[in-house]
Amino acid sequence: MGSPNKGLGKVEVAVKWDASAMGEPDHDVDIIAATFAADAPHGDPVYLVHFDSRSPDGTITLSRDSTTGQGFGFDEVMTFELERLAAAYGRVVVGVAIQQRGGRRTFADIPSTRFRIAEGYTELAQGDFAAVAGSTAAVVGEFVRDGSGEWALRPLLRGYDTDPEAFTRLMGGV
């Protein structure tokens, strides 16, 4: 018999920011997801999803990738089909990292940086990066599977001062 609880199904995480001023290096902000095993939710990630990648089973995909912040609406969008994610996985941590080409940049250096986590038309979490303005990367939330197998969001905002590669090793420690 199934559970009467209705957990999260298909969720979208989106980030937007303003483009850099004319003549300045482009701002490149990336969404990164780290998927953890159910039996080791705080161990090493089983796999990462970021630009130029997707989950092995296609349940986590980056559907919009911007390297400039130019465009309308949200510039980066990652889709999570949590209801299809195998029972072997129990936690997915979602982070945002600033590419550091052209010199060190923090969220304070990139105007109008915001994030949104939504399921369909229901906004689950949203915000800006003002609380972590001096950081170069941040975790914006984690999806966790409960004992009945249903997924829930734990919104959080925790900043890191590191490059994107090192961030992928640190982000699961929340």
Side-chain angles (χ1 to χ4, degrees), residues 10-42:
K10 187 174 183 179
V11 178
E12 186 178 271
V13 176
V15 177
K16 68 179 177 176
W17 66 95
D18 286 350
S20 59
M22 180 105 55
E24 295 292 318
D26 288 333
H27 300 147
D28 187 0
V29 179
D30 291 317
I31 301 172
I32 301 171
T35 303
F36 296 86
D39 61 355
H42 294 277

Side-chain angles (χ1 to χ4, degrees), residues 64-165:
R64 185 176 306 153
D65 178 29
S66 173
T67 58
T68 64
Q70 294 175 327
F72 300 105
F74 285 90
D75 301 301
E76 292 262 327
V77 178
M78 188 174 281
T79 302
F80 299 77
E81 294 181 65
L82 298 170
E83 76 281 8
R84 291 186 44 232
L85 201 58
Y89 305 111
R91 180 171 174 245
V92 180
V93 177
V94 182
V96 175
I98 302 167
Q99 291 293 330
Q100 297 299 312
R101 294 181 303 272
R104 184 177 184 280
R105 291 193 187 110
T106 66
F107 289 108
D109 298 321
I110 302 175
S112 304
T113 308
R114 300 193 52 79
F115 69 92
R116 180 191 73 205
I117 303 172
E119 182 180 35
Y121 294 109
T122 303
E123 190 170 273
L124 304 171
Q126 61 83 29
D128 59 30
F129 294 88
V132 294
S135 300
T136 59
V139 168
V140 296
E142 64 179 351
F143 299 106
V144 292
R145 194 186 300 254
D146 67 18
S148 69
E150 301 296 333
W151 287 94
L153 170 66
R154 288 186 189 155
L156 57 97
L157 184 61
R158 179 173 291 162
Y160 295 81
D161 188 11
T162 188
D163 63 85
E165 186 173 332

